Amino acid sequence: MDPELKQRLEATAREIRRQVITMIGAAGSGHPGGSLSAVDIITALYFHEMRLDPAQPHWPGRDRFILSKGHAAPALYAALAVRGFFPTEQLTTLRKMGSPLQGHPDCRKVPGVEASTGSLGQGLSVANGMALAGKMDGADFRVYVLTGDGELEEGQIWEAAMASAHYRLDNLMAFIDHNHLQIDGPINQVMSPEPVADKLAAFGWQVLTIDGHSFEQILEACALARRTKGRPTAVVAETIKGRGVSFMENEVGWHGVAPTAEEVEKALKELGLR
């Protein structure tokens, strides 16, 4: 991987993590754990992989990204703002009355948000529709979707997975943020979806397992997916919930709890931003 690209992506991911911590702390509510685990995937997509034009958020030729785990909205909002879809100053309005930046993404209000999400399990179905429409129209855009691993407990995910393979949606790529925790505890104790990779492969997907915090592996997976014809690609991305902040990492309690002002300062110091 080009060292300059890696350095740029790492710096951008640090900035997005800073925004995530700061905005959730200011709001007094939100989901830091699952936002931080997804930051590196979202950064790689928005700052290298995807074809976008922030000045034209509805440009027909753009690639699409669906955040199926909508509670990780802070990571998406931060990426969109840093990418130029709206001013970063707006991030401090997260979850405030009248703000477009609500606890879950609203495509009617936030430039760059492709679908309103939050009810878990629906994002892959939405992505299927977009990818199928693209094929029917002869368009060359690609569709990316990010789901949580706990979200795989939803039955609609598996109906959608069958449809993705049935319609041979090779313009569709799904990332599974496999951080192994959900709001009630470890996913293997709540309702194990394992073996995730084997199940998706049995449905007809090309399946890759990667380190979800390695930009090199994320971008290699994207390149392979682009070369693959006739079937969709799923990436089981092994991640750490709360990645980047030691007292949040692998702690289920940080699924949906905002840091205090002191904890915000401590987190930013750990990220090297204070």
Side-chain angles (χ1 to χ4, degrees):
M1 183 179 190
D2 181 282
E4 186 176 337
L5 171 61
K6 182 180 179 184
Q7 188 176 30
R8 179 172 62 81
L9 292 175
E10 287 175 345
T12 302
R14 235 180 352 263
E15 171 61 14
I16 291 174
R17 286 191 164 91
R18 180 180 78 83
Q19 297 286 2
V20 166
I21 293 295
T22 303
M23 78 172 89
I24 295 177
S29 67
H31 295 81
S35 296
L36 293 173
S37 66
V39 163
D40 297 310
I41 297 167
I42 291 175
T43 299
L45 292 176
Y46 274 90
F47 293 87
H48 186 74
E49 175 65 19
M50 291 172 63
R51 188 172 62 188
L52 299 165
D53 183 354
Q56 301 180 77
H58 300 296
W59 169 48
R62 72 194 185 281
D63 291 333
R64 276 74 164 166
F65 174 78
I66 309 299
L67 181 66
S68 191
K69 46 177 275 181
H71 56 280
L76 176 59
Y77 293 157
L80 290 172
V82 174
R83 188 72 172 78
F85 282 87
F86 56 85
T88 54
E89 291 77 13
Q90 199 168 24
L91 294 173
T92 58
T93 69
L94 175 72
R95 289 182 174 239
K96 298 289 195 318
M97 188 70 74
S99 170
L101 307 182
Q102 293 303 297
H104 296 91
D106 186 336
C107 66
R108 301 167 303 172
K109 299 180 178 177
V110 185
V113 170
E114 296 286 352
S116 299
T117 53
S119 295
L120 296 175
Q122 299 178 1
L124 183 55
S125 296
V126 174
N128 277 347
M130 292 180 176
L132 184 57
K135 280 192 164 291
M136 294 174 71
D137 290 343
D140 65 351
F141 65 77
R142 296 183 60 76
V143 182
Y144 300 85
V145 58
L146 175 65
T147 78
D149 50 3
E151 188 179 358
L152 301 183
E153 296 161 6
E154 302 284 348
Q156 185 173 335
I157 286 281
W158 299 101
E159 295 177 54
M162 281 189 283
S164 311
H166 177 80
Y167 290 107
R168 303 168 62 85
L169 299 178
D170 50 17
N171 56 346
L172 172 66
M173 186 174 188
F175 282 91
I176 294 145
D177 184 2
H178 202 10
N179 61 39
H180 301 270
L181 294 174
Q182 62 188 102
I183 191 168
D184 293 323
I187 62 168
N188 286 343
Q189 294 179 19
V190 177
M191 181 64 75
S192 176
E194 303 293 353
V196 173
D198 290 348
K199 287 177 178 174
L200 287 167
F203 275 53
W205 288 64
Q206 170 174 247
V207 184
L208 310 169
T209 299
I210 67 166
D211 176 350
H213 300 303
S214 165
F215 288 117
E216 184 172 17
Q217 293 185 35
I218 295 168
L219 294 181
E220 284 179 355
C222 290
L224 178 58
R226 271 187 272 110
R227 295 195 300 269
T228 300
K229 303 302 178 188
R231 57 179 176 162
T233 296
V235 176
V236 181
E238 293 293 337
T239 60
I240 296 171
K241 200 153 189 167
R243 171 74 171 191
V245 180
S246 65
F247 59 89
M248 291 184 178
E249 288 190 353
N250 288 319
E251 292 291 337
V252 70
W254 284 104
H255 178 93
V257 175
T260 63
E262 292 75 18
E263 288 165 339
V264 168
E265 287 299 311
K266 184 178 178 182
L268 295 183
K269 283 181 181 176
E270 287 194 5
L271 291 168
L273 298 167
R274 277 285 189 279

